[in-house]
Amino acid sequence: MSLSIESVNKNFGGWTKHYSHHSETLNCDMRFAIYLPPQTAKGQKVPVVYFLSGLTCTDENFMQKAGAQRVAAELGVAIVACDTSPRGTDVADADTYDLGKGAGFYVNAAQAPWNRHYQMYDYVLNELPQLIEAMFPVTDQRSIFGHSMGGHGALVLALHNPERYKSVSAFSPISNPTNCPWGQKAFAAYLGEDRKTWAEYDASLLMRKALGAVPALVDQGDADDFLEEQLKPQTLEAAAKESGYPLTFHQREGYDHSYYFISSFIEEHLRFHADHLHP
Amino acid sequence: MSLSIESVNKNFGGWTKHYSHHSETLNCDMRFAIYLPPQTAKGQKVPVVYFLSGLTCTDENFMQKAGAQRVAAELGVAIVACDTSPRGTDVADADTYDLGKGAGFYVNAAQAPWNRHYQMYDYVLNELPQLIEAMFPVTDQRSIFGHSMGGHGALVLALHNPERYKSVSAFSPISNPTNCPWGQKAFAAYLGEDRKTWAEYDASLLMRKALGAVPALVDQGDADDFLEEQLKPQTLEAAAKESGYPLTFHQREGYDHSYYFISSFIEEHLRFHADHLHP
């Protein structure tokens, strides 16, 4: 395991840092960001909340725009934000924003040309936390959250791996990807036509089976342009009701799909995670 | 007066908005951002804090990265962030980041080709607040702050116009522009070789004369790469001591020149302004 540091900025008494490393899982070099709160300077190990970004984002958007570091510094949690796909000149891509680079959908691709690099599910579940826990002053207590495509990723990872995450939350998640254009396009490309595999990556279908019971929080703005066609949080809510899953759902009047929405409620999400990480 | 709305995002119960308008002062179309806190929805008029950005920025950087809206919503103040220079295809420019577009230095240019559009001092002092106070639910109580080149602009505007501003603050300001490479390059181009005019735009020289007495707050990171050569806050501190100017100066250990620094102390700056705007 080796890391190259790309940048360090002091921030709310802690440090926002970007690193690059070679990923064995993704078969390419990757970047990620980590916020280390001030408590780590005093030798304290802190739990980690992983953030998964949405379409077109990199490791930078969340750290620059969400306003999360202020709250993480107060609560004594680290935040890790990874990239949204494998990267590099030999990585397959498509000419649209919603497939290929910047659009890995946090799945393990099963067919060519995608399967050579697009293994984001395994990267986020295994390689990234192993690296983080080996190289930084953190505990093995983890929570996970994300936005849009990353909200889908966070929910699916937590639903399949309840032993790995204390809590999960999402802003405007793609809640039922087997039933919306973004999800169908990505799953057809990455997974092929076998719909059984698709179901393993659909939070609404998984929540209906009450897989695991990682406490979940979802926020959705009602002025979000993608709400009806792509996000479908009502399907997730209905699934939770059917199975009795511990999901708290907030519809937020007038809020859209942007980081202005995320920043408005980031404190509530981080407090939710901290309550489960520091019980 | 007319405004075109470019975007609206609900944010901390209020609204982050971007507008464009034709500026008579700058002889071109301009964009600005305004944050209207939730109090304005209930018919309340609120005071305004103007933010002046640094080199290469537009009306977007501050609203996306500073984390100011959370605090402005709590305090009931509006924030206006304008662009850093005139814009458009017929506006003079230079092939460097520190002169021309994105680098107006908040002065009134006195010589060609710059004087046709580069009148940022008058724009920020007169036209912009007239527009804001005519078109939005705000009072005529104003404060002003900025970063780097914008910290210079905020200090100079407040020092010359104590009747117009209740308070002034700056992050990492260019404190003595007549005595640093950025300032000398810009002033030679915009103002010409008459050093008397230069002195009217130098916060350290003005503060030594104790012009006005608008309460001032300055924050400077000691890990800022531009500290020694370009910013020279010690000159400003010395000037304030000499004249007894009400300047509070904080040196911040380990912080750099980035928005990670600004966001870490934005709350203190906005509370400082609110204390003077809501006495």
Side-chain angles (χ1 to χ4, degrees):
Chain A
M1 282 183 193
S2 83
L3 287 177
S4 300
I5 191 152
E6 302 288 338
S7 67
V8 183
N9 298 94
K10 195 167 180 185
N11 196 197
F12 288 99
W15 297 269
T16 296
K17 301 182 176 194
H18 291 262
Y19 288 90
S20 59
H21 73 113
H22 183 76
S23 165
E24 297 293 329
T25 310
L26 300 175
N27 192 24
C28 65
D29 289 344
M30 290 294 284
R31 284 172 56 104
F32 67 85
I34 184 167
Y35 178 70
L36 292 169
Q39 292 82 355
T40 59
K42 299 164 200 150
Q44 187 182 330
K45 287 191 169 193
V46 296
V48 183
V49 188
Y50 289 84
F51 185 83
L52 305 183
S53 292
L55 288 167
T56 79
C57 289
T58 69
D59 56 312
E60 294 194 333
N61 309 62
F62 180 80
M63 290 295 180
Q64 293 180 347
K65 296 182 174 179
Q69 291 93 330
R70 176 185 65 86
V71 191
E74 180 197 327
L75 298 174
V77 298
I79 301 178
V80 170
C82 60
D83 206 342
T84 48
S85 75
R87 299 281 182 180
T89 49
D90 70 331
V91 170
D93 200 4
D95 278 340
T96 58
Y97 74 98
D98 55 358
L99 188 68
K101 289 180 189 171
F105 268 84
Y106 307 101
V107 302
N108 290 332
Q111 63 177 13
W114 309 105
N115 53 353
R116 185 158 171 251
H117 297 284
Y118 285 75
Q119 305 292 329
M120 288 294 290
Y121 182 91
D122 278 353
Y123 175 70
V124 175
L125 181 65
N126 295 314
E127 186 178 3
L128 184 61
Q130 283 165 16
L131 183 71
I132 296 295
E133 288 161 29
M135 305 296 269
F136 296 98
V138 299
T139 70
D140 62 358
Q141 303 298 293
R142 305 169 209 102
S143 290
I144 191 163
F145 66 155
H147 173 228
S148 195
M149 175 182 77
H152 139 75
L155 288 165
V156 167
L157 278 151
L159 285 158
H160 275 301
N161 303 282
E163 76 289 358
R164 305 288 282 276
Y165 300 106
K166 297 290 182 191
S167 51
V168 58
S169 78
F171 299 94
S172 335
I174 302 174
S175 298
N176 188 200
T178 61
N179 191 31
C180 78
W182 277 341
Q184 290 168 341
K185 180 178 179 178
F187 287 8
Y190 298 140
L191 306 175
E193 289 306 324
D194 176 9
R195 296 264 173 161
K196 270 186 214 151
T197 322
W198 291 28
E200 295 301 311
Y201 292 112
D202 185 305
S204 291
L205 301 181
L206 297 173
M207 201 172 269
R208 193 175 299 152
K209 295 192 273 177
L211 278 182
V214 181
L217 169 66
V218 170
D219 268 78
Q220 173 63 55
D222 72 1
D224 186 324
D225 286 341
F226 303 111
L227 179 55
E228 296 300 327
E229 188 181 7
Q230 304 282 10
L231 304 177
K232 303 184 187 291
Q234 71 282 1
T235 312
L236 192 72
E237 262 200 293
K241 266 188 196 143
E242 197 176 319
S243 65
Y245 196 93
L247 168 69
T248 302
F249 180 80
H250 296 301
Q251 182 156 303
R252 302 296 188 176
E253 188 190 340
Y255 286 88
D256 60 28
H257 202 67
S258 70
Y259 266 93
Y260 293 113
F261 167 56
I262 296 175
S263 65
S264 299
F265 298 100
I266 193 76
E267 181 163 353
E268 285 186 37
H269 282 241
L270 285 170
R271 289 193 185 282
F272 168 78
H273 293 301
D275 285 348
H276 291 92
L277 289 163
H278 302 299
Chain B
M1 283 184 191
S2 83
L3 287 177
S4 300
I5 191 152
E6 302 287 338
S7 66
V8 183
N9 297 95
K10 194 167 181 186
N11 197 196
F12 287 99
W15 296 268
T16 295
K17 301 182 177 194
H18 291 262
Y19 288 90
S20 59
H21 73 111
H22 183 76
S23 164
E24 296 293 331
T25 309
L26 300 176
N27 193 22
C28 65
D29 290 344
M30 291 293 285
R31 284 172 56 106
F32 67 85
I34 185 167
Y35 178 69
L36 292 170
Q39 292 82 354
T40 59
K42 301 164 196 147
Q44 186 181 330
K45 286 190 169 193
V46 296
V48 183
V49 189
Y50 289 84
F51 185 83
L52 305 183
S53 292
L55 288 166
T56 76
C57 289
T58 69
D59 56 311
E60 294 194 334
N61 309 60
F62 180 80
M63 290 295 180
Q64 293 180 348
K65 295 183 175 178
Q69 292 94 329
R70 177 185 64 87
V71 190
E74 180 197 327
L75 298 173
V77 299
I79 300 178
V80 171
C82 61
D83 206 342
T84 48
S85 74
R87 298 280 181 181
T89 50
D90 70 332
V91 170
D93 200 3
D95 278 341
T96 56
Y97 74 97
D98 55 358
L99 189 68
K101 290 180 189 173
F105 267 84
Y106 307 101
V107 302
N108 291 331
Q111 63 177 13
W114 309 104
N115 55 352
R116 186 158 171 250
H117 296 285
Y118 286 76
Q119 306 292 329
M120 288 295 289
Y121 181 91
D122 279 353
Y123 175 71
V124 175
L125 181 66
N126 295 313
E127 186 178 3
L128 185 61
Q130 282 164 17
L131 183 71
I132 297 295
E133 289 162 28
M135 306 296 268
F136 296 99
V138 299
T139 69
D140 61 0
Q141 304 297 293
R142 304 169 209 102
S143 291
I144 190 163
F145 67 156
H147 173 230
S148 195
M149 175 182 76
H152 140 74
L155 288 165
V156 167
L157 278 150
L159 285 159
H160 274 301
N161 303 281
E163 76 289 359
R164 306 287 283 277
Y165 300 106
K166 297 290 182 193
S167 51
V168 59
S169 78
F171 299 94
S172 336
I174 302 174
S175 297
N176 188 199
T178 62
N179 191 32
C180 79
W182 277 341
Q184 290 167 341
K185 179 177 179 178
F187 287 7
Y190 298 140
L191 305 174
E193 289 305 324
D194 178 7
R195 295 263 173 160
K196 271 187 213 150
T197 322
W198 291 27
E200 295 300 312
Y201 292 112
D202 186 303
S204 292
L205 301 181
L206 297 173
M207 202 172 269
R208 193 175 298 153
K209 294 193 275 178
L211 279 180
V214 181
L217 169 66
V218 171
D219 268 79
Q220 173 65 55
D222 72 2
D224 187 323
D225 286 340
F226 303 111
L227 179 55
E228 296 300 327
E229 188 181 6
Q230 303 282 9
L231 304 176
K232 301 185 188 290
Q234 72 281 4
T235 312
L236 191 73
E237 262 200 295
K241 267 187 196 145
E242 196 177 320
S243 66
Y245 196 93
L247 168 69
T248 302
F249 179 81
H250 296 300
Q251 182 157 304
R252 302 295 188 176
E253 188 192 340
Y255 286 90
D256 59 27
H257 201 68
S258 70
Y259 266 94
Y260 292 113
F261 168 55
I262 297 175
S263 65
S264 298
F265 299 100
I266 193 76
E267 180 162 353
E268 285 186 36
H269 281 242
L270 285 170
R271 290 193 184 282
F272 168 79
H273 293 301
D275 285 346
H276 291 93
L277 289 163
H278 301 301

